[in-house]
Amino acid sequence: MKLVIAIVNSDDVSTVIRNLSQNGFSSTSLATTGGFLMRKNVTLLIGVDEEKVPAVLDIIKEHSHSRKQMIPASSGMGHGFMPGMPVEVNVGGATIFVVDVEQFQRI
Ligand code: 2BA
């Protein structure tokens, strides 16, 4: 058993969840915030048998799109004032971790 942890853009997450569900994959979504841009994203937890991990990753890849976001010139970003021109940041479609699950139980 594996746990897929996928950090997905808020704009894509409903499509990703719907397609996971239509293909028989359960997921739990957590409201999260990126540490760099300090913008909301969603972290999906998907428990799945090891042989089905590629199918889960394919669904996430198909429905997660990379996009450019601007950081305002005077944005704090949690690190204080940042003077200068707005900066364009390329935010990836999804950030994915796959970890081993020691035990899985539904009680
Ligand atoms: P944020 O931390 O808000 O990062 C948004 C985007 O800003 C990143 O896109 C990356 O392009 C850029 N970025 C992040 N840190 C940077 C830095 N120190 N210097 C310059 N540019 C930086 P992604 O890499 O696609 O990441 C999207 C979101 O995925 C991140 O939002 C964060 O919530 C999560 N994430 C990415 N890598 C992670 C990691 N190693 N561990 C945990 N979460 C991660």
Side-chain angles (χ1 to χ4, degrees), residues 7 34-38 41 89-92 95 97:
I7 302 163
F36 187 68
L37 294 180
M38 302 303 289
N41 51 33
V89 174
N90 194 37
V91 183
T95 302
F97 304 86

